[in-house]
Amino acid sequence: MYWFTDTISSAMHFYREQYLALRNGTGAAGEVVVPTGAGIFPQEILKSPRAWYQRRFPLVHWTEHEAGGHFGAMEQPEAFASDLRAFAQTVADLGPVALGQSKSG
């Protein structure tokens, strides 16, 4: 998906920041303050427990999918799209204040 949308660089940037922060002993690379959602596919290569997500991110949406793996969005596109829409609706329901914006925009 990243290759087709030309977003591979920004996706890899996250992993590089994490790697450098851990290598330098500074822990996680910055605080995440925006509402976060996670779609967990059962055949994912590396699995992190929900408690880890809750400690690291302001988790507002969590879905455990019935099928799929590391490329879950490509393997299960309907489930992924449905989950993404549900997450977007959750964030919309939270309103602009949850995104760090004033109510006036």
Side-chain angles (χ1 to χ4, degrees), residues 53-74:
Y53 283 87
Q54 290 171 317
R55 282 193 307 272
R56 178 75 177 95
F57 306 105
L59 190 65
V60 299
H61 181 83
W62 178 269
T63 301
E64 294 183 19
H65 293 278
E66 294 181 13
H70 187 67
F71 298 103
M74 190 169 52

Side-chain angles (χ1 to χ4, degrees), residues 73-89:
M74 190 169 52
E75 298 165 13
Q76 302 293 322
E78 294 86 9
F80 174 77
S82 176
D83 188 36
L84 189 57
R85 284 191 294 272
F87 171 61
Q89 185 61 58

